[in-house]
Amino acid sequence: SQPDVIVPTCGRAEPLPLLHKSKRQSKMTTHFPPSTFPTMSLGAPANLIASSGHNKTPRQPPPPPADVPSVLAAIRSCSSHDASVRRPAEEQLQQWENSYSSGMPQHAAAGYLTSLVAIIDSSNTTTGNSADAATTENIGLMSAILLKNGIPKAFGAPPPESSNEGAQAADAEGLNRLRQERGHVRARLPALLFSDGNATRALHLQLALANVALFVFPDAWPTLLEDLAGVASGTQRPSGSTDELTARIRAVKTLRLCLQSIRQRKLVVPKGGVGVRSRGNGGGNNPMTMLNMRNLGDIIGKAVHERRAVHDRACSIFGSLAEGIVGHAQAAVSGVGDGMVSDSVWSARCTLTVGYVKCMTELLPMVEIENASTDPRTPAVRQLLLNLAQICDSMKAYPVVPPPSVPPALLSNGMYATKMDKIYRAALVCCISSIRCLPRLFAPQIQHILPAVVEPILTLDTEALQSMPAKRVIVMTGMVQTVLTCATYDEKRKDSSGAKNAVLAVLMGKGASAARGGAEGGANNNGNDPNDDSGVVEAQKNVTALLAEGTIERIIEALVGKFLRLHAEEIEEWENDPEGRYETDLAERSLLEADSPRHCGGALLLTLMNQETDRVSHTLLELTQRVYQQLPPEDVNGMLNREACYRALELCHAAMVGRGQRRLNFSDWFQTELRQILQADLGESSPVAMRAMQARAVQVVQAYSTSLKPDEFGLAFHGIARLVAAPDLVTAFCAARCISHLALLHVRGTEESAQLAATREHSVFALSNAFGLAKRSESEECLRVTLLCVSALVEANGLYLEPVLQAIAEQLPPLWERAKDSVPIHSCLLSVLTHLIMKMGCSTVENSHVQTVLFPLLAYCTDISVVNRAETLLEDGLRLWLVTLVSSRLATMGPSLTNMLPRLEAILRASLEPHLSLKVLQFNAILLGPQIADPLAPVLREMILNLTSCIHSEQKGDDEAMGDDDRSKGTDRGVTTTRDAIAALSFAEAMMQLHPDLGLSICAPAVSKVIAALPGRKAVVAPLLEATFHCFGRMIWISPNCLDEIFATDPSQDDKIAFVLSQYITDVTRVSAIVMLSPQAQKVVFINQKGAALSLCSAVCRSPRVARVAGQKVLSYTRRLLEVESKSKELDLDALVEVTCGTTRKVVGDGPLGDSATRTAEILKSDPLLTVSLKEALENAERAVASL
């Protein structure tokens, strides 16, 4: 069975020598030519016979040899401008890389990584300034990147899965070659890294070595970290290195990357539980099996044990790092070290100091000390934290006060202050890491660190704070946030800070006493209660003093006045570049990207609000009132201070009006202050402070919009809609963004409200101003915000805007001309047109101005021959295409829709966005006739087989098949696979309904494989199972003997047919609580249930085997359904057709449908699964069962 680590480690070979001691890391889009859609025959009949066993994935052929000339030629070709040369080379390199993770070691491209190492080595020895030397440098860099990217797949290759002896022998030989290649890469990487003269290439080699560490430490390379630490300290000399300082700096940076890689190593839990990953045990590698909860304790215990073992081994370099931090920091602060006076040597010592501290930042979370009183590492960790606090204390002033030993040259050029700031920030970040992972041990330093970072915020003026590097201010406020949010230092939460999750503690094998944690008091915890620690008690006192009356008010006033207030540079930008100012302000609304003092000041204010909600809210309101009363309204400084207070209240809006208590009466605030500000007429010559105040009032209304009363909502909407045309562009863009929010705030289904009525009353006025603002917008981002406002207004109004449709349509062609190659603008135009067509139906599609933009936009967004087009605009383009189809009338739009078909074929051949592209094909077939799918039958057959392979194919589960690169992307492959499989099955059902013979030819192979695989599956997600049986029911109706054919060669034929039909009946009778509450949903459910009953009765009549193994169950189900039909007065055919057509309106909205609605009704009225008598079907099935 496979280990629980993300990928198996290499064999336990002897550690490879890293050093000898001295004496003293593009997705390509494939373009398919458009088809002319010739008439094609359907080919041979569908083969419904599926293998009784699991469908084995065929072994892929091995890639071509990956020797040095072949790899070098492929790399050279990748630089070609000719796509016909470049793309095959890219595919070849990708094939070599992927061969390692194929699960078949004999097919791994043995030698690929070895060849890359040889190419890098060769490029490193090339000298000269010729063009050939530059080309060689580029090839070496590309090789280093490929090596970095290939290591996760080569070192994380899964073990072989062979079942016969011949294949096992081949796998063993391939695995042996792979181990040798891994060993060669491990042996050569350090020498390449420390001898490489190209800094960029060296960086990728560092990342490559960090990737190796993820897989080989500590099992196959236990001394990796010690070897790197030895080079960094100078006690070891790497072979081939000529510059000792450069080698030491590279070593410490590589050490940090390796520690980061090791610390972030993930543990994969087998979905079947411990030991179920072995092949052939009935679905252990099924991607849909559930986690075996019975083994949860063993799983967690094993994961914790493995993690602890890795962390303990990594902590062997703790002493070396601690010693290096102290030694290098002393030399850096003094300006000299060991008698060295060279600027370059001193600068290198500073870089080493920062590198050592960053390494310790990565290592500290791995120093897991559960009992500070008894752990022997406690004194060393306490000493390190004391040293870090001393480093911070010596550099807390900015600019730092240098000691007399610093040479004047270092002070004159500002180098000393810059280097000290970097060391200070690194040390402070390390302290933050210590608080998060070792709060008790760091507690004694709080009394020194906390005042040092709070004091500048309180005492320095705005100019002094602005002169500090932004990163320094961010780290300082981050330290205050970390201290405030640490439960150990919070006196109010001190009794709960030591408690642990009892269930988790027991599962981890720590026992009940560990689960009780600190909740039992000092007498029963062997002195491990943090509240008995004098350092913790002192830290709690310091935090309490920070939040004491008088201090917290000063902090809030400093944050509002120094961090949130507009600065002189921002006011100047407002005047000279209003669009740039708006974009900057928009970016600053996100606290997730805290890269400016305003960000971090706002984040600290929110932290204080969370800790002391009542006091902070009271202080903010009091400060706002005081600023309003003390200074006259026309005073510029007073206006800027007032704007900062409003910004603070906007930032804290969730606490001011939420959390079960309203601390701010927004209605009064709106009526007394904000309304007057919104109604003020300000021109371009008005003071910036007044315009900023008006823009801030708009954003405040947006933040508190849910607190507006119905009558106030209309006043606010009209006032802000007026400001969309404000002379000040910043205010206008803020107003456009606010209107987008307000327009959709009260759109809830078909519910009509006073707020929605107010929105519709003023929407034409707002639209006019928005289109006017679009003409004034120059930047891409500002035009995007304006178009989103238009889109929101259209979505909120729908048919209410039909009288002005022509005016809206006339604005679209100029916007299309401005879009050019801008992805955001095209995306916004897609949104505007989608909502226009959704909400106003066929009249919009047939508008000449709309068509001027619609079809060129669709052609642009669905042109997958353009690089990256499929990744950026294709999904939205297909959604607009679908809405256009559903809203079109064939008489007027037929030729235009037909002209788009070749583009659809290219998309389908590339299998792009199948959840939408298949739906587009379905509605094209409804409108233009099912014959348009004839030429695509082979493509669709293969496509549906691939999309449903998550059910019928023995592919690896997500945890096994997903490589390291896929993990880093963070995509949810399981959700995407399920969605696409459901789309394929829904399309299959629709095609069999539209054109039974063609649909069966296309879909039968995939559906047969899915049904054959169901008996061996432990679990299938409910939506996918529902789509499977809907499609299967249609297939049974067309081919009642299909079950006999599917399981024809299976020795357990009867059991599997009974299982499938039992699952089918169970699934179709399962009704959710939501359906029970909706009469309309109940009608749709009945349609599905009746279709299932008719299909099952047909199978019983035509197949004696089905009648024998499942006849009674089918009869029982059909009788119950017939009883429901006889008792209901609403289940007539016309009612069922109306409900089914109504479900398509979910795609379109509230506009009139096109011909698709009429065509759908015709299809349903002729559908035998709706028109055939259920009573007759039951009588025929009863006779078939009775005749057995």
Side-chain angles (χ1 to χ4, degrees):
S1 63
Q2 295 182 355
D4 283 348
V5 187
I6 237 174
V7 285
T9 58
C10 306
R12 289 184 176 272
E14 290 297 318
L16 294 173
L18 167 67
L19 319 151
H20 61 84
K21 295 189 177 181
S22 64
K23 289 184 179 180
R24 65 140 226 125
Q25 184 135 168
S26 85
K27 182 177 179 182
M28 299 189 305
T29 303
T30 305
H31 172 53
F32 295 90
S35 168
T36 56
F37 277 80
T39 303
M40 297 175 60
S41 64
L42 297 179
N47 178 17
L48 302 183
I49 301 176
S51 172
S52 59
H54 289 301
N55 298 281
K56 302 293 185 182
T57 303
R59 288 177 176 263
Q60 298 298 322
D67 50 24
V68 173
S70 300
V71 176
L72 185 59
I75 293 175
R76 290 181 185 276
S77 299
C78 285
S79 303
S80 172
H81 294 287
D82 186 351
S84 63
V85 176
R86 183 181 67 254
R87 287 182 177 177
E90 291 173 344
E91 291 173 355
Q92 181 62 80
L93 291 171
Q94 191 66 52
Q95 184 185 12
W96 279 327
E97 180 181 314
N98 291 339
S99 67
Y100 291 106
S101 57
S102 64
M104 293 172 282
Q106 78 277 18
H107 286 183
Y112 174 58
L113 295 188
T114 304
S115 299
L116 291 175
V117 168
I119 294 170
I120 296 169
D121 199 2
S122 174
S123 64
N124 192 32
T125 59
T126 303
T127 57
N129 298 320
S130 64
D132 290 340
T135 302
T136 304
E137 283 284 316
N138 292 333
I139 291 174
L141 177 59
M142 182 65 179
S143 300
I145 295 172
L146 291 171
L147 179 64
K148 173 196 68 177
N149 294 340
I151 282 174
K153 292 183 178 178
F155 282 75
E161 311 173 9
S162 305
S163 57
N164 60 75
E165 294 182 2
Q168 287 176 353
D171 284 340
E173 182 181 353
L175 190 58
N176 185 53
R177 290 197 306 267
L178 182 58
R179 285 171 177 164
Q180 292 177 356
E181 185 167 20
R182 290 170 176 169
H184 178 73
V185 172
R186 291 201 307 266
R188 291 296 301 150
L189 254 182
L192 292 176
L193 170 63
F194 293 115
S195 63
D196 203 312
N198 185 300
T200 305
R201 192 164 59 220
L203 172 61
H204 289 285
L205 292 175
Q206 290 172 7
L207 294 169
L209 193 53
N211 283 342
V212 171
L214 176 67
F215 300 103
V216 306
F217 180 84
D219 293 337
W221 200 346
T223 62
L224 169 62
L225 301 182
E226 288 96 328
D227 291 339
L228 288 172
V231 177
S233 64
T235 58
Q236 298 184 31
R237 289 286 302 276
S239 57
S241 174
T242 56
D243 186 349
E244 180 185 358
L245 285 176
T246 300
R248 293 175 67 181
I249 291 173
R250 282 187 186 176
V252 77
K253 290 182 177 180
T254 307
L255 179 59
R256 180 202 173 193
L257 292 172
C258 289
L259 287 169
Q260 189 178 57
S261 181
I262 293 167
R263 182 171 69 85
Q264 296 177 351
R265 177 183 294 178
K266 296 178 178 66
L267 298 172
V268 169
V269 176
K271 291 186 177 181
V274 175
V276 298
R277 272 197 164 177
S278 58
R279 307 302 176 199
N281 62 351
N285 64 337
N286 175 11
M288 296 184 181
T289 54
M290 301 296 290
L291 179 67
N292 189 342
M293 300 300 291
R294 286 192 293 268
N295 295 329
L296 187 59
D298 293 336
I299 293 170
I300 295 178
K302 182 179 179 182
V304 171
H305 174 76
E306 290 185 359
R307 186 190 67 175
R308 173 59 66 88
V310 173
H311 287 184
D312 287 347
R313 190 68 185 85
C315 289
S316 61
I317 63 170
F318 179 89
S320 174
L321 291 182
E323 183 180 344
I325 289 173
V326 175
H328 290 299
Q330 289 175 346
V333 172
S334 64
V336 295
D338 301 330
M340 297 181 294
V341 294
S342 169
D343 290 356
S344 61
V345 174
W346 172 82
S347 177
R349 297 296 292 269
C350 292
T351 303
L352 285 170
T353 305
V354 174
Y356 268 92
V357 174
K358 288 183 176 181
C359 286
M360 186 60 76
T361 303
E362 298 294 338
L363 184 64
L364 280 173
M366 293 188 272
V367 182
E368 301 177 39
I369 296 180
E370 294 183 1
N371 193 321
S373 303
T374 59
D375 197 304
R377 299 172 296 175
T378 298
V381 176
R382 286 189 186 275
Q383 183 60 46
L384 167 73
L385 300 180
L386 174 61
N387 293 334
L388 288 172
Q390 291 172 343
I391 293 173
C392 292
D393 186 65
S394 65
M395 304 175 186
K396 63 183 180 181
Y398 185 84
V400 67
V401 179
S405 59
V406 178
L410 295 179
L411 300 176
S412 60
N413 59 16
M415 183 185 299
Y416 185 83
T418 301
K419 293 292 185 182
M420 293 305 102
D421 177 63
K422 290 183 178 180
I423 296 174
Y424 174 78
R425 285 189 278 112
L428 209 55
V429 170
C430 192
C431 291
I432 291 174
S433 177
S434 305
I435 294 172
R436 289 171 178 165
C437 59
L438 299 167
R440 179 177 177 180
L441 297 185
F442 192 83
Q445 313 310 325
I446 292 295
Q447 59 181 320
H448 308 295
I449 290 286
L450 187 59
V453 294
V454 173
E455 184 180 351
I457 297 174
L458 294 176
T459 59
L460 296 181
D461 57 22
T462 304
E463 292 183 3
L465 278 174
Q466 282 187 284
S467 67
M468 284 186 179
K471 292 182 180 179
R472 184 185 183 100
V473 180
I474 292 168
V475 173
M476 288 167 55
T477 55
M479 167 61 79
V480 181
Q481 286 180 257
T482 305
V483 172
L484 289 175
T485 54
C486 180
T488 304
Y489 305 153
D490 191 342
E491 199 169 11
K492 297 178 181 177
R493 294 186 289 167
K494 63 181 180 180
D495 293 331
S496 62
S497 62
K500 301 176 182 178
N501 185 306
V503 176
L504 183 59
V506 172
L507 289 174
M508 291 169 59
K510 298 181 179 180
S513 59
R516 289 190 291 270
E520 295 183 352
N524 297 324
N525 55 34
N526 299 320
N528 197 36
D529 186 358
N531 297 313
D532 293 338
D533 191 307
S534 59
V536 173
V537 173
E538 189 64 29
Q540 291 171 353
K541 291 180 180 178
N542 279 269
V543 174
T544 302
L546 178 68
L547 300 175
E549 186 176 355
T551 306
I552 192 171
E553 288 79 7
R554 290 179 59 200
I555 295 176
I556 293 170
E557 189 169 344
L559 291 175
V560 173
K562 301 174 186 178
F563 288 81
L564 302 185
R565 191 178 188 268
L566 284 172
H567 303 146
E569 294 84 358
E570 295 171 320
I571 295 175
E572 183 179 355
E573 183 185 25
W574 198 304
E575 287 277 18
N576 300 328
D577 183 15
E579 293 193 29
R581 172 91 286 272
Y582 168 76
E583 292 178 16
T584 304
D585 193 57
L586 179 65
E588 288 178 357
R589 292 176 62 84
S590 171
L591 293 176
L592 299 177
E593 300 177 3
D595 56 355
S596 73
R598 176 162 295 126
H599 272 133
C600 60
L604 180 53
L605 178 62
L606 285 175
T607 302
L608 289 167
M609 178 66 82
N610 290 331
Q611 297 295 113
E612 297 286 340
T613 305
D614 291 332
R615 292 173 57 199
V616 173
S617 58
H618 175 75
T619 301
L620 276 179
L621 293 173
E622 190 178 64
L623 178 63
T624 304
Q625 189 68 21
R626 189 168 69 248
V627 167
Y628 180 72
Q629 293 175 348
Q630 287 180 349
L631 298 171
E634 65 277 2
D635 182 79
V636 173
N637 285 327
M639 192 67 71
L640 291 176
N641 289 335
R642 189 177 171 192
E643 191 269 344
C645 290
Y646 280 21
R647 185 191 289 267
L649 291 172
E650 175 197 346
L651 196 63
C652 300
H653 70 275
M656 300 301 293
V657 296
R659 302 180 186 177
Q661 182 179 352
R662 287 192 171 270
R663 298 173 176 85
L664 169 65
N665 189 329
F666 182 75
S667 181
D668 288 349
W669 188 20
F670 176 78
Q671 294 289 357
T672 57
E673 293 185 35
L674 297 176
R675 184 180 173 186
Q676 286 77 9
I677 296 172
L678 295 176
Q679 292 175 345
D681 291 320
L682 302 178
E684 293 182 344
S685 60
S686 301
V688 173
M690 297 181 68
R691 287 182 271 154
M693 190 69 218
Q694 191 171 60
R696 181 60 50 194
V698 170
Q699 295 176 81
V700 166
V701 171
Q702 179 177 339
Y704 289 88
S705 56
T706 55
S707 299
L708 286 167
K709 297 178 181 178
D711 56 328
E712 295 168 346
F713 184 91
L715 294 172
F717 192 94
H718 179 266
I720 296 172
R722 185 182 69 88
L723 291 178
V724 174
D728 182 73
L729 280 175
V730 180
T731 304
F733 292 127
C734 289
R737 188 177 61 208
C738 183
I739 288 296
S740 302
H741 172 78
L742 295 177
L744 300 178
L745 185 61
H746 296 281
V747 176
R748 299 187 182 95
T750 58
E751 178 184 344
E752 294 288 340
S753 63
Q755 291 92 336
L756 189 57
T759 299
R760 290 170 174 168
E761 180 183 353
H762 304 295
S763 286
V764 174
F765 175 54
L767 272 171
S768 175
N769 289 342
F771 280 120
L773 180 60
K775 296 176 182 178
R776 298 163 60 195
S777 305
E778 296 180 1
S779 74
E780 185 178 275
E781 171 63 22
C782 292
L783 180 57
R784 186 189 72 84
V785 170
T786 308
L787 291 179
L788 288 178
C789 177
V790 173
S791 178
L793 288 167
V794 171
E795 184 178 359
N797 285 271
L799 288 173
Y800 291 90
L801 290 178
E802 191 167 20
V804 294
L805 172 61
Q806 181 66 22
I808 296 173
E810 289 173 357
Q811 303 293 328
L812 298 179
L815 293 172
W816 164 251
E817 293 175 4
R818 291 182 59 184
K820 297 181 180 179
D821 289 327
S822 168
V823 171
I825 302 306
H826 282 106
S827 180
C828 291
L829 281 172
L830 286 170
S831 177
V832 170
L833 280 170
T834 300
H835 286 129
L836 270 175
I837 297 172
M838 282 174 64
K839 295 299 181 178
M840 285 182 269
C842 55
S843 59
T844 305
V845 179
E846 295 171 1
N847 184 280
S848 59
H849 295 285
V850 171
Q851 289 190 19
T852 303
V853 177
L854 175 60
F855 288 101
L857 180 61
L858 283 175
Y860 181 90
C861 297
T862 57
D863 185 3
I864 61 173
S865 64
V866 178
V867 177
N868 296 327
R869 186 66 50 80
E871 290 82 0
T872 54
L873 294 171
L874 179 60
E875 185 173 9
D876 289 338
L878 287 171
R879 191 170 285 110
L880 175 59
W881 193 347
L882 178 60
V883 170
T884 301
L885 283 166
V886 180
S887 302
S888 294
R889 292 187 293 192
L890 197 58
T892 55
M893 303 300 298
S896 298
L897 296 175
T898 303
N899 291 336
M900 290 290 296
L901 290 177
R903 186 63 55 81
L904 179 59
E905 180 186 10
I907 296 170
L908 290 169
R909 288 185 181 275
S911 294
L912 295 173
E913 305 295 347
H915 65 293
L916 288 172
S917 57
L918 287 174
K919 184 67 72 173
V920 170
L921 179 60
Q922 176 186 331
F923 275 89
N924 268 298
I926 291 174
L927 279 178
L928 304 175
Q931 69 278 0
I932 68 163
D934 283 4
L936 290 172
V939 175
L940 294 172
R941 188 179 300 115
E942 186 67 24
M943 184 179 182
I944 295 172
L945 269 171
N946 292 333
L947 293 176
T948 56
S949 62
C950 60
I951 309 175
H952 63 70
S953 178
E954 265 200 38
Q955 295 176 336
K956 296 179 178 67
D958 285 357
D959 55 343
E960 300 170 61
M962 185 167 31
D964 191 75
D965 294 340
D966 293 322
R967 283 185 206 100
S968 64
K969 295 176 185 176
T971 55
D972 193 338
R973 297 171 66 244
V975 171
T976 303
T977 302
T978 302
R979 181 193 66 182
D980 293 344
I982 292 173
L985 292 167
S986 299
F987 172 78
E989 180 192 8
M991 285 305 299
M992 285 189 284
Q993 182 184 37
L994 284 171
H995 197 309
D997 294 335
L998 174 62
L1000 187 65
S1001 170
I1002 291 172
C1003 310
V1007 179
S1008 299
K1009 284 179 174 286
V1010 169
I1011 295 302
L1014 285 181
R1017 291 294 179 183
K1018 287 190 175 181
V1020 178
V1021 292
L1024 184 53
L1025 193 64
E1026 181 181 352
T1028 297
F1029 283 126
H1030 284 177
C1031 183
F1032 177 57
R1034 183 69 60 174
M1035 179 173 160
I1036 295 179
W1037 178 259
I1038 301 172
S1039 178
N1041 293 314
C1042 63
L1043 279 171
D1044 297 288
E1045 298 175 5
I1046 290 172
F1047 296 104
T1049 60
D1050 197 306
S1052 304
Q1053 185 179 24
D1054 288 0
D1055 293 338
K1056 291 190 175 182
I1057 290 176
F1059 174 84
V1060 169
L1061 295 178
S1062 176
Q1063 283 287 95
Y1064 186 8
I1065 294 173
T1066 301
D1067 179 79
V1068 80
T1069 54
R1070 185 187 298 118
V1071 178
S1072 66
I1074 297 177
V1075 171
M1076 298 300 295
L1077 297 175
S1078 170
Q1080 192 174 40
Q1082 291 177 29
K1083 296 177 185 179
V1084 176
V1085 168
F1086 181 80
I1087 293 173
N1088 297 328
Q1089 292 177 341
K1090 180 179 179 181
L1094 292 173
S1095 297
L1096 291 170
C1097 288
S1098 175
V1100 168
C1101 293
R1102 296 287 296 275
S1103 170
R1105 187 181 299 275
V1106 171
R1108 187 180 70 255
V1109 301
Q1112 293 299 333
K1113 184 170 288 189
V1114 171
L1115 295 179
S1116 175
Y1117 164 66
T1118 309
R1119 290 186 187 110
R1120 294 197 305 271
L1121 195 63
L1122 185 61
E1123 186 178 350
V1124 173
E1125 184 181 43
S1126 62
K1127 291 181 179 179
S1128 175
K1129 297 181 180 179
E1130 298 182 7
L1131 296 178
D1132 60 277
L1133 180 61
D1134 291 335
L1136 293 178
V1137 169
E1138 180 184 353
V1139 170
T1140 306
C1141 289
T1143 61
T1144 64
R1145 296 173 66 84
K1146 292 186 295 185
V1147 179
V1148 185
D1150 58 2
L1153 294 169
D1155 288 345
S1156 61
T1158 305
R1159 178 70 180 129
T1160 301
E1162 293 172 356
I1163 294 170
L1164 289 174
K1165 288 182 178 180
S1166 61
D1167 188 352
L1169 291 183
L1170 281 178
T1171 57
V1172 170
S1173 168
L1174 192 59
K1175 183 178 180 181
E1176 281 185 31
L1178 177 60
E1179 291 172 352
N1180 292 334
E1182 288 174 338
R1183 284 194 293 270
V1185 172
S1187 67
L1188 294 176

